[in-house]
Amino acid sequence: MPEVLVLVDHDGERVHRTTYELLAAARRLGDPAAVVVGTPGTTGRLGESLARHGARSVHAAESAEADEFLATPAVDALERAAREVSPVAVLVSATTDGKEVAGRLAARLDAGLLTDVVDVDPSGVATQVVFGGSYTVRSQVTHGSPVIALRPGSFEPQECPVEARQRGLALPPVDPARSARVTARRTALGGDRPGLTEAAVVVSGGRGVGGVDGFKVVEELADALGGAVGASRAAVDAGYYPHQYQVGQTGKSVSPQLYIALGISGAIQHLAGMQTSKTIVAVNKDPEAPILDLADFGVVGDLFTVAPGLTREVTARRAGR
């Protein structure tokens, strides 16, 4: 079967869940082939987990400067791999970095690009959410190997152990004059919670939480459910919560199994980033809040009463009482 290239998202030591989702999607189209971009030795640390999730081949694109530049090494690696194997498709995660890589790669390959894809069938027809989530369309690339940016959470990771063969993939020197160099790194404070794009459960707060202290009820519910914390743009702009937790068109797009919205009215900007969640629960005092029309379960009430009560019930059930 033809290869399907998958860009591996990792932190140097661990493969991120989004990559396993891409490998699951790739199996619908052909033989998954993982492309690892990193410093020397990275592929050796990640190879076993990639093979366990179905990567039949692993392209090791390693160089000492792979982590020193944004996007360019990944684009270079995918371009070289694509020209070598003529893949049936190239899959990346539709994160901020992934969309940057996908757009630049499609331009280099003169190929069609599909972004915010939430499903793909064996014939290559993709389902996308477009125009800020207002419409769902089905699209197919008719020129070149399609570059597909898949929204995190759209596929369920599945273990499919195979014997993976490793191939070396030489990276060309990066031109500093045409690439953005990383000059400093800071560790984001995330605690023990899963990342937004990897979490099966996301609990988000909006302007209705009233302030920084109000987000404590959001965090407590998220912790009880083993989920991640998110925030609406209104909450972020008001300074209630850090920007990296923003869910929406100008933040992160998520598709968890369960999405709980506390005090979020449901502006289209926010809905665009979470409306593909499998189950949506909304708590809002306003019975006319737009998010209640989208929610699978809606509660009209005070979030400071509803959320703590839910937290206590979840905690009690998990404790077996």
Side-chain angles (χ1 to χ4, degrees), residues 230-319:
S232 70
R233 178 175 176 174
V236 169
D237 287 348
Y240 298 171
Y241 221 65
H243 177 270
Q244 64 261 34
Y245 297 98
Q246 181 182 329
V247 174
Q249 191 171 12
T250 55
K252 293 182 178 178
S253 296
V254 298
S255 295
Q257 295 296 314
L258 173 63
Y259 188 89
I260 300 178
L262 303 176
I264 296 175
S265 63
I268 188 63
Q269 196 280 146
H270 184 75
L271 300 184
M274 47 67 68
Q275 65 181 0
T276 55
S277 302
K278 308 307 182 290
T279 301
I280 300 172
V281 177
V283 180
N284 203 291
K285 289 193 296 185
D286 181 6
E288 302 299 323
I291 198 166
L292 294 174
D293 294 330
L294 178 68
D296 298 286
F297 301 96
V299 179
V300 177
D302 186 348
L303 70 89
F304 293 103
T305 299
V306 176
L310 182 55
T311 299
R312 288 192 295 271
E313 184 66 22
V314 170
T315 301
R317 293 199 179 198
R318 286 198 162 184

Side-chain angles (χ1 to χ4, degrees), residues 132-148:
S134 300
Y135 297 92
T136 299
V137 300
R138 287 168 58 82
S139 311
Q140 186 170 24
V141 168
T142 58
H143 179 73
S145 297
V147 180
I148 300 174

Side-chain angles (χ1 to χ4, degrees), residues 9-25:
D9 187 14
H10 63 89
D11 60 9
E13 300 292 335
R14 181 180 65 91
V15 177
H16 292 169
R17 173 189 168 94
T18 50
T19 299
Y20 300 142
E21 296 173 8
L22 295 178
L23 290 171

